[in-house]
Structure formats: structure tokens, C-alpha cells
Amino acid sequence: SLSADVNIAANEYQLSISEFNVKPNLTGFKLLNLSGNFVLLKDLAGITDLKIITERSFISLNAAVSEFYLFSEEGINLQKSPLKIELDAMNLNFDDLTNFISGTDILKGTVETHLSAEGTLNELELKKLEVNLANSNLNATGYLQNILDGGEMNIHMNFRNSFINQDDVTALLPSLEIPTYKEYGVLHFDSLAYEGQPLNFTSNMLLQTDQGKVSGLVKMDLTGEDIVYDYQITTTNLNL
């Protein structure tokens, strides 16, 4: 059901959705329910208590953008408008995401994600990012630059108190055929830094394994037909 409050003279619009469902012509995507509150005022726009429930995903979102002059003669400058985002995805299935964002079909399975971010689309600070896979947990802070550039977006992330089960990685990225080394067990990251673009990046790491400590620098380029990568690894008391 829908309810709306409109003041055209003041350019103020509010819309509340308590229940909405649809089965669009998208692969495996069925929207069980969408609800939330949408506000558009003279200089800001916002979404509160947005909940998206599909057969495979459950997402909750609160977001607001200010200095958003949709009705001005100069138009909007979305890249420079300040925004805040609070996202909780108890289940986010990548097959659902692939229906709307091209290039994410390399990712498979379901992830739990919690995000708190503030800034602009030119430079967005990630105050909190938590990602949970079946038996893995990643906690990070950092920032994103030039988000609207898509594949050219710059990512700067630092992870702490995180651990990865290798089986989760191979399940998340099955097409890359990443090797698994069972004898090293769960990988516990004392530190992990990621810098670069989504498909062309550098990563520094210091991790603990069941066989000893490993530090390293990883460079990977997934932009071409062939995967290009370079590893520089240093070990401490590592049992090979």
C-alpha cells in the first residue's frame, strides 16, 4: 500500500510504502516485499526504513543526501552532494545483484554486510564495513573515490581483526579457480590493505596461519582476457 504527501508549490514530496511485491522479467529475481519512506525536499533527498526482501536477499537501508537541488535551474551535482548511508544486508545474494549491476557475475553465493559511510561520491569515507561469509569475517575502514566512474573507481581499504576460510573464497569466486591450501587452515589477518580499482589492485597483508606467519604484496589485474598477477611473499617460522 502507498501513502503520499505532496506540496508542489514548495517542491516537497513524501512517499511511504508499506507493502509492494512484483516478479519482474529478471533471472531468478522475485521481490517479495519492498517498504520504506522516501522524502524529496527543496535541497535534500532521503530514504528511511527501506527494506527489500527477495527470495534470496534481505536488505535494510537508511540514506540521505543534502545540497541536492533537484528543482534548481542549475541542476544537481551528485558527485559533490554530501551523503550518509547506513546499510544492513543480512543476506545479499550476488545473483540478485547481477540483475542490476553488470560485472558482478564473477561473484557467487550469499554475503552478510553492514556498512556505515559518509561523504560524497567523489570521496566517500567508509566508517564501518563488516562482511561475513559462511566461515569468514572481514572488518574494515577506508574510503572510495570517483564512485560514479564504475570500474575506474579508486578503493582504499584497511582491514583489522579479520579472518578468512579459504573455502569461502573459492565459493565466492569460483571462475578464478583460486587454489586452496588446507594445511594452512583459517587465515587470520593482523593487517590487510587494499588499494586500487575493482579489477586492478594491490594488496599488502600480514597474516597468521596454522603453519606460521606470512607477509606479502599481491598485485592483480583482471581487466584483460588473461589474469595478470604478481606475488611477493615473506614467511616467519612457516612450516612448509
Side-chain angles (χ1 to χ4, degrees):
S1 61
L2 305 175
S3 63
D5 184 5
V6 177
N7 185 336
I8 296 177
N11 289 326
E12 296 182 352
Y13 304 85
Q14 298 185 47
L15 174 67
S16 294
I17 304 174
S18 60
E19 184 176 355
F20 177 78
N21 58 75
V22 67
K23 187 176 181 180
N25 186 25
L26 297 172
T27 303
F29 183 85
K30 182 178 181 181
L31 180 63
L32 300 180
N33 190 38
L34 183 149
S35 62
N37 305 302
F38 303 82
V39 178
L40 179 59
L41 304 179
K42 182 179 179 180
D43 61 348
L44 65 86
I47 301 171
T48 61
D49 297 324
L50 176 66
K51 290 182 173 56
I52 302 171
I53 304 172
T54 77
E55 288 186 324
R56 300 175 291 198
S57 302
F58 183 97
I59 302 169
S60 176
L61 174 68
N62 289 281
V65 55
S66 57
E67 299 179 23
F68 185 76
Y69 304 102
L70 181 62
F71 304 105
S72 71
E73 293 182 358
E74 293 81 10
I76 60 175
N77 189 341
L78 190 59
Q79 289 182 320
K80 296 183 178 180
S81 297
L83 60 88
K84 293 183 179 180
I85 301 171
E86 298 287 339
L87 171 70
D88 293 292
M90 300 309 297
N91 288 294
L92 174 59
N93 187 281
F94 288 111
D95 287 339
D96 283 347
L97 192 64
T98 299
N99 280 298
F100 302 96
I101 303 177
S102 61
T104 60
D105 55 340
I106 193 174
L107 301 168
K108 301 298 179 183
T110 299
V111 64
E112 175 185 347
T113 302
H114 304 278
L115 170 68
S116 177
E118 184 174 352
T120 69
L121 294 180
N122 274 346
E123 184 156 340
L124 184 68
E125 179 187 2
L126 302 182
K127 296 185 173 182
K128 173 187 175 182
L129 175 62
E130 180 179 356
V131 178
N132 296 311
L133 299 170
N135 297 290
S136 302
N137 175 263
L138 297 172
N139 294 281
T141 57
Y143 59 94
L144 308 177
Q145 294 177 315
N146 306 320
I147 295 174
L148 295 182
D149 290 343
E152 302 300 316
M153 171 179 64
N154 290 315
I155 303 170
H156 304 263
M157 300 296 298
N158 289 291
F159 295 82
R160 294 288 187 275
N161 301 320
S162 302
F163 59 89
I164 293 178
N165 184 300
Q166 297 179 68
D167 290 337
D168 288 342
V169 177
T170 56
L172 180 68
L173 298 162
S175 64
L176 298 186
E177 299 182 353
I178 298 173
T180 300
Y181 303 98
K182 299 288 188 181
E183 63 273 19
Y184 292 97
V186 175
L187 308 179
H188 293 265
F189 289 89
D190 292 337
S191 65
L192 172 63
Y194 177 108
E195 184 170 345
Q197 298 170 345
L199 298 179
N200 188 4
F201 58 87
T202 300
S203 179
N204 288 287
M205 62 181 179
L206 174 61
L207 62 90
Q208 303 267 2
T209 78
D210 288 351
Q211 303 295 326
K213 295 183 179 180
V214 178
S215 62
L217 173 67
V218 177
K219 297 181 179 180
M220 184 168 289
D221 185 349
L222 306 173
T223 58
E225 292 185 4
D226 297 323
I227 299 173
V228 178
Y229 59 88
D230 180 47
Y231 296 89
Q232 299 177 24
I233 303 296
T234 303
T235 64
T236 304
N237 298 324
L238 188 69
N239 184 358
L240 299 175

